[in-house]
C-alpha cells in the first residue's frame, strides 16, 4: 500500500448531465437512494481522512475555567457532573475529542457530592494533581490521588464526593462518541448521594486484586472489564523506574531506547482494562525522541510531569504539566523529551484490534 | 433497567443565565470546550435514541431505477461501481442505511466489467434474482446466482464481470458508515479489468472449504474472515428445510416454533464470516409470527421469497420479494408470514458483541 | 537441541556404596521416598524414550480372528462390546496401542445389538469396509458405512445395532490409556438395547450441522466436541480429490507435493472433533514419498485403500488395505505410495498442543 | 450419575472356556491383540479407581534424611540434583506422588551449586523454611525465601546456588510422571555452574512483572507460562489477610466461610502459571472445617504454618508445619484447622480442565 498518498478516489467518470440523468437522480431522491459514484471519495478515501484535527489544550487554560464553573454551576441530579468536554475543532458542534473518545476536566468543590448513576459508556478518571475525592463504584469507595487511574466500566453505579475543604479537578475519559454514534447507550439514575461516604486508603477491589500474580479463588470467572478499578501511582512509577534501570543494566525492558511504558490491564485476562478504551503510561528519558508513528484509531495524551513536545503532522507543540493533546487516526506523531517526561495516554485501540482494523506504521522500520 | 422509558436525562439544573455565566461559556468556546451539563441528554440517553429510522425500500422501485442507471451511468475506474445506496431518511445527507451499515443495489450490464480494487471495508453480495456475473476475489472467480451469499472481506482485491448478454442486479452490504466515522479505511486500485475471466461453477475457496466438518491441512491457521467466500443457495435451502422437518419430528432444531434460521460462519472458527458484519438466513412457516424483539445494533433484511410483514415500532409494513427494510438499534420488531417467508439478514452484531454492548429483549421472556 | 541424540542422562556421579549410604537408602524406603539421582535417566531422557514400539497389524490377520470371536463370544451387558484391542508389544500387559490411545477391531454379528452405555472416554469408529450397522448416540441413529468417521464424544450414551443379515467389523479408537493412567474415567450403563432402531440415511446431527459454512441459530453455543458426529466418505473423497485437482492447476491446496489431507473438525470452533483425539485423512498420489517426520505424541494409521509402505525408525513395512500401524512419540516416519494411497489417521495431538508439549521435526527443513 | 458407587463393570458375560476359545485367545496373543471383554472393569471403571493412595509424609522424617543425603551424596553433573522424591506407595516402584505429579525435597549444602540444565518438564519450588539459595532461570537470579513460590517453566535453563554457610531445603514440584508416561520430555545440559552468581533481592522478571495491573509494553505477547517467576510471601500473606478482613466486613472475598485462598497466575493471561500445574495457597481460620470435596485429578498439599488435619477417604491425619500429603483423583477430602492453618497446594487441574475431564463434587451442594 502506498501509505504516503492522501489523494482521494477520483470522480473522473461522472456521467454526462442530461435531463434523463436529472430525472434519474430525482428518482433516487424520491426513494431515499444515493448513488455511490457521486461520493465514493468521501466514503472510501485512500487512507483515513479524519475530520478530527490534531489539537492541544493547555492545563493553564482549562483549570481556571473549571474553577470558575465551580462557582457558577451547581453539581447535582440532572446535569449530573461538572465536566467540561474537550471539543475537537474538526468535530464541531459535537463535544468529541475524537470520533470515539470523550475527554473532560471534571471539578468538584469542597464537600460536594456528584450523585450516583450508571450507563453503558465505559469511563475512567486520571488525576494529574490534587486529592481528597473518593469515587464510589458499585458501593466501593475508591480514593483518587495524583497519578492514579480509576475505572468506572460500563453499567456500574458511580458517584463522587469531596471529603476535603479544598476543590479537586481531574480528567474523565469515556467512549461517549462511539456509543452515541453507534446507538448503544443506556443510562440509569441511582442514589442522589453516594452510597458509602467512607474514605479508605484502598478500595475493596484493590485489597482483593492488587496482589501481583495472585488471583482470589472467589474471583475465578473472567470479567469483561478489570475488577481492579484503581491503579496507584506508586506502582506505575516503580514499574517505569525499574524498566529504565533494567535498560541501564543492558536488559530488554523498554519499548525503545529511553522510552519506558506500561499498559493498564484487566488481571483476569491480561488484556485491556475495558472493552473500548486502552490506558497506558509512558516515560521518556531527558533527550529521548521517539520515531514517528502512524496508527489507525485515535488517542489522547496528558502530560503528567516534565517538559517536552509532540510533533503532529509536522507541527511541533511544546508541552507542560497537565497539557492534553489528541492525535487523530493515521496522523504521524512523535514525542520529544526536554526533561524526564511522563505522559498518561488513552486510546480506542481495543476497538480497532477487536474489529481487525488496527494498523501501525513506524518510520524507519 | 426500565427498558420502556424513552425519557431523556433532564436538564433541570441548568445554571442561572448571568453575565458571569456567559463569560464562562465564551471562555469555553475560546478554548474548544463544551460543558457536559448543556447536552447530557443527547450524549447519554436513557435508552438508545437512534437518528436512523425504520424504513422499507421496495424492490419494485429499486430495480427500474437501477436499470435506468445501467443506461445512463458508465461503470469503470473512478466511480468504480454502479451501486445505488439505500439512504436512511434519518441519517441524511449520508448514504447510510444505519450508523454502521451501507446497503446498495448494484447493477452490471451485459458483458460489463467492474474493475478491481481493494479496501479495508468488509463487503458481501447477496443475490435475490438473476445469474451470470462472476466476482473475482484475490484472483478466484466466484459465480453469483440466486440465493447465494458472496464475501469480499477487507483488503482483498475484487472486481466483477458479467459473462452474459443479460444484465444482473444484486445487493451489496458493507461497513462503510462504521469505517468512515471511525477513520479506519484504506483503499487501493487494482487491475482495470478482472484478473481471471474464467467462469467455473465453484470457486477454489469452495473446493477447499465447502466440505462439511473437513478442514484442509494446508489451511490450519485461523483467519479473521471466512476463507469460504461463497455460500450456495442449495445448502442454505437444504439446511432450513431440514430444520423444519426436524421440528415436525419433535426435535429441537428451530429458533422458535415455525422459525428456522442459519448463520453464515467462518469455518476456521465457527464465528461470524467477517469481523463487523453478521449474515443470516431466516425462514418462517406460513402463519408464523415471531415475538417482538429489541436488539442493540442495527440490522437489514431482504425478502428472498414469499409474502409477509414486518412490524417496526408498532407500524406494520407488508413485504414482497426483494423488498428491503432496516431496523435501527433498540426499535421493537416482529415478523409475520403470510406464506412460507424467506429472508436474508445482515447486521452489525459482531461489533456489538466484540465490544460488549450487545443486549436483546424478547417480549414475553 | 541435538535432536538426533538418544543418549541417556548419565549416572556417573552415583555416591560410593557405604554402610551409611545403605542406611540412608533404607530410610528412604521406610518413608516412601526415592532419590532422583538413582533414576534420572529414565525419568528425564534426552529425547522421548517411549516403551511403545512401532508396530503393524495386518487386516488379513485381524478380520478372521474377529469373525471367530463372533461365533464364540456373546455381546451384551457386562462385556459390553465384542472389541479386540491392538496391544502395543512394548506396553504389555496393557491393551494400549500407545500411552494415550486404544484401538480395536469391533465385530457385530447379523441382527446383534451392543447395549447402550456412556463413559468419560472419547471414542470414534472408522469403517474400512462394510455397512449395515447404526450407532445410536444420545438417541440419534447414525449410519455406519465404508469410509465414514463416526464420533462418540465423552459422556454420551451410545449403542450399536446391526440391521442386516451379514456381520460388520470396524475400527474403534478411544483415549482409554490416557484416562486410565490419569484416573479421570466415569462409566454408566444405559438401555440394554438401543433406544431407537430407526435406520435413517442421515443422523439428525448431520441434518443440522453438515451444511458447509452454515450454523443453526439453535446451536450458537460452542461445544467441547463436535455436534456433527458423522463425517461421510463422499465428502472426504471429494475434498481430497479437489485438493489434488487444485494442485494440478498450480494452486496451493495440498500439504506437500502429491499429498492431500483433511482434518475432521468441530464446526462450532474449527478445532479438533474431541478434546483428546485428532482425526485426519491423507491421500498420496502414486509415487509420492513424504519427508521423514518426528512428532511428539503418538499416532495410528489405517490403510483405507491402495498400496504403499511406511518407514518407521528406518524399517520399511509394506501396507495393504485395512492394515494398521502405530508410530510412537518422536519415532521418525515417512510414507511411500505405490498406488494412490489413502489412509485414515488418528492421534493424541490435541493433548500435546493444549498442554504445550507439541514439537515437530521434518527432515530437510 | 451415581457418584457414590465404586462397583466395577461386571465380567458376568465371559464366554464359556472351550478349546475353540483357547485357540482364539492364543490367536489374539500371537497377533498382539487383547480382547476388551476380559478387562473392561479395569480399563473403564464406574468412577476413577486410582492406584495411587492417600498418603502423608512428615517433615520431621524428611528433613533429617535430606540432611544425611547432604553428607553422603554429592550434587553435580549427572545426578544433577540432590532431590528425594515422595513416592506414592500405590505407584511403586515409580517415584510418583501421583500419576501426573512428582514432588521432592531438595537439599543444597553451604556454598554448593546445582548445575544448569533445561527440560520439557514444568517445575516449581516452594520454600517452607530457610533462605540463602538463588535459582538462576535463563540467566535471571531469583532469591528463594520462606513462603516464596519460584517457577521454572518447561525448557528454561536453570541451576541453583547456595550463597550462605548454612544448608537449605525446599520442595520441588514437577510434571515428570505425566511427561514420562506420555513420552514428551526433552532434556539438555547447560553450564556446569550457574551463569550469574549475583544475589539480588528481586529478579528481573519481578521488576518487570510484579506491578499489579501493569503490563510492560515490551511484553505484550502472551506467554504459555508466567513471565513472573517469583511469587513472594509478603504478597501472598497480605492477599489472604485482606480476604479474611473483607469477610469480617461482610464482603464476598473468601472461598467459603473462614477459608481464604489465592491462585498463582500468569499475568499475561490470568490463567495458571504453567500448562500442567496449578499452584494455590489456602488459609483457614482456627476452627474452620471445609466441606468434603471430590475432584478429578490429583493434588498435593504442604502445611506452611499452623496445626490441623486432613480427612481423606474417611481417615483423619493430623498435620504440622512442613507435612505433605497427596489426594488421588476422586478421593473425598476435607481440611480442619486447629489454629490458623496455612497450606500451599499444587495439582494437575490445568490438564483436567484443558482436556475437559474436570469434575468436582462438594458434599451438601
Amino acid at each position: 500500500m502506498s501509505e504516503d498518498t492522501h489523494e482521494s478516489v477520483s470522480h473522473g467518470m461522472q456521467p454526462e448531465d442530461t435531463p434523463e440523468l436529472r430525472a434519474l437522480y430525482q428518482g433516487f431522491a424520491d426513494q431515499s437512494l444515493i448513488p455511490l459514484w457521486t461520493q465514493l471519495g468521501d466514503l472510501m478515501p485512500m487512507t483515513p481522512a479524519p475530520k478530527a484535527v490534531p489539537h492541544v489544550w493547555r492545563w493553564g487554560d482549562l483549570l481556571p475555567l473549571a474553577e470558575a464553573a465551580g462557582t457558577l454551576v451547581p453539581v447535582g441530579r440532572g446535569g449530573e457532573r461538572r465536566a467540561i468536554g474537550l471539543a475537537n475543532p474538526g468535530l464541531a458542534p459535537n463535544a468529541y475529542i475524537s470520533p470515539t473518545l470523550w475527554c473532560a476536566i471534571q471539578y468538584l468543590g469542597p464537600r460536594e457530592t456528584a450523585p450516583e448513576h450508571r450507563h453503558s459508556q465505559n469511563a475512567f478518571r486520571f488525576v494529574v494533581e490534587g486529592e481528597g475525592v473518593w469515587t464510589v463504584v458499585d458501593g466501593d469507595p475508591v480514593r483518587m490521588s495524583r497519578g492514579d487511574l480509576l475505572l468506572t466500566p460500563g453499567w456500574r453505579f458511580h458517584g463522587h464526593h469531596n471529603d476535603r475543604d479544598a476543590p479537586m479537578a481531574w480528567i474523565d475519559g469515556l467512549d461517549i462518541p462511539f456509543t452515541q454514534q453507534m446507538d448503544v447507550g443506556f443510562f440509569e439514575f441511582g442514589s442522589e448521594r453516594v452510597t458509602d461516604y467512607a474514605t479508605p486508603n484502598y478500595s475493596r477491589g484493590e485489597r482483593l486484586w492488587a496482589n501481583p500474580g495472585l488471583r482470589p479463588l472467589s474471583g475465578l470467572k473472567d470479567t469483561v472489564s478489570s475488577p481492579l478499578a484503581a491503579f496507584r501511582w506508586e506502582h506505575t512509577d516503580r514499574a517505569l523506574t525499574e524498566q529504565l534501570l533494567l535498560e541501564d543494566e543492558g536488559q530488554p525492558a523498554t519499548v525503545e531506547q529511553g522510552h519506558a511504558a506500561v499498559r493498564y490491564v484487566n488481571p483476569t485476562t491480561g488484556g485491556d482494562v475495558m472493552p473500548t478504551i486502552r490506558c497506558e503510561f509512558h516515560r521518556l528519558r531527558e533527550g529521548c525522541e521517539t520515531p514517528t508513528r502512524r496508527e489507525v484509531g485515535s488517542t489522547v495524551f496528558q502530560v503528567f510531569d516534565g517538559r517536552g513536545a509532540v510533533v503532529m503532522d509536522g507541527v511541533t507543540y511544546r508541552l507542560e504539566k497537565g497539557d492534553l493533546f489528541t492525535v487523530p487516526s493515521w496522523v504521524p506523531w512523535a514525542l520529544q523529551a526536554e526533561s524526564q517526561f511522563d505522559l498518561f495516554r488513552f486510546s480506542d485501540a481495543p476497538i480497532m484490534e477487536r474489529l481487525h482494523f488496527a494498523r501501525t506504521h513506524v518510520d524507519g522500520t
Side-chain angles (χ1 to χ4, degrees), chain A:
Chain A
M1 211 194 66
S2 56
E3 283 164 337
D4 53 353
T5 175
H6 281 283
E7 61 179 306
S8 200
V9 176
S10 84
H11 293 178
M13 298 197 60
Q14 293 304 319
E16 192 185 356
D17 185 3
T18 62
E20 291 77 11
L21 188 74
R22 292 190 186 182
L24 178 64
Y25 283 12
Q26 186 58 47
F28 289 163
D30 292 346
Q31 298 298 336
S32 294
L33 299 170
I34 299 177
L36 175 64
W37 58 86
T38 62
Q39 50 171 224
L40 177 60
D42 292 333
L43 285 176
M44 303 176 86
M46 303 305 284
T47 61
K51 293 179 186 162
V53 296
H55 194 78
V56 178
W57 289 261
R58 302 293 173 185
W59 193 242
D61 296 327
L62 293 185
L63 194 59
L65 288 165
E67 288 167 344
T71 311
L72 297 171
V73 181
V75 66
R77 183 59 76 223
E80 299 292 303
R81 298 292 184 260
R82 194 188 289 110
I84 307 156
L86 282 59
N88 192 297
L91 298 175
N94 293 304
Y96 299 168
I97 198 165
S98 87
T100 50
L101 299 171
W102 196 79
C103 180
I105 179 170
Q106 186 170 161
Y107 186 90
L108 207 56
R111 306 290 168 187
E112 278 189 333
T113 293
E116 290 189 352
H117 60 215
R118 66 175 175 179
H119 41 66
S120 307
Q121 289 81 7
N122 297 287
F124 71 82
R125 341 226 158 264
F126 178 75
V127 183
V128 74
E129 62 182 22
E131 61 180 356
V133 169
W134 271 254
T135 180
V136 183
V137 182
D138 272 348
D140 188 10
V142 183
R143 173 175 55 90
M144 297 174 63
S145 304
R146 171 164 161 78
D148 295 344
L149 170 70
L150 305 318
L151 304 183
T152 315
W155 212 238
R156 302 205 192 159
F157 278 114
H158 56 283
H160 322 303
H161 74 98
N162 187 341
D163 187 59
R164 304 288 164 82
D165 294 323
M168 183 175 169
W170 64 87
I171 292 299
D172 287 340
L174 291 93
D175 51 15
I176 287 176
F178 183 84
T179 62
Q180 193 193 28
Q181 291 181 95
M182 298 297 122
D183 300 325
V184 303
F186 294 82
F187 187 100
E188 198 170 83
F189 292 113
S191 163
E192 298 287 320
R193 297 170 56 70
V194 295
T195 44
D196 188 338
Y197 275 89
T199 57
N201 260 334
Y202 295 103
S203 61
R204 297 195 296 266
E206 291 169 273
R207 293 161 67 192
L208 269 176
W209 285 99
N211 304 295
L214 300 176
R215 185 166 182 167
L217 255 68
S218 56
L220 293 181
K221 194 170 174 188
D222 289 354
T223 54
V224 168
S225 295
S226 175
L228 176 64
F231 300 78
R232 298 297 171 191
W233 174 243
E234 67 200 72
H235 298 138
T236 305
D237 183 41
R238 187 181 64 197
L240 298 165
T241 300
E242 290 291 352
Q243 286 187 17
L244 292 177
L245 286 171
L246 284 162
E247 187 183 83
D248 287 336
E249 298 167 21
Q251 298 295 334
T254 52
V255 179
E256 51 211 3
Q257 186 65 31
H259 179 183
V262 290
R263 182 171 298 168
Y264 300 90
V265 293
N266 175 347
T268 73
T269 63
D272 283 300
V273 286
M274 298 186 294
T276 54
I277 302 179
R278 172 165 297 166
C279 296
E280 295 179 350
F281 202 103
H282 292 252
R283 171 173 292 172
L284 278 66
R285 288 184 199 269
E286 182 182 333
C288 175
E289 301 194 7
T290 70
T292 298
R293 282 182 170 77
R294 290 175 177 211
E295 296 157 324
V296 166
S298 54
T299 189
V300 177
F301 287 83
Q302 183 175 33
V303 177
F304 182 69
D305 220 345
R307 283 167 295 101
V310 63
V311 185
M312 295 187 281
D313 240 347
V315 180
T316 303
Y317 304 82
R318 290 206 62 247
L319 300 167
E320 299 197 343
K321 178 179 157 182
D323 291 351
L324 294 119
F325 63 91
T326 186
V327 190
S329 187
W330 213 238
V331 167
W333 64 275
L335 294 172
Q336 302 171 342
E338 298 175 20
S339 67
Q340 179 168 299
F341 198 29
D342 279 6
L343 300 103
F344 172 76
R345 180 186 189 181
F346 68 101
S347 75
D348 57 13
I351 298 176
M352 302 306 146
E353 293 182 0
R354 289 170 191 222
L355 303 180
H356 296 277
F357 289 116
R359 283 196 198 193
T360 299
H361 181 266
V362 184
D363 273 12
T365 62

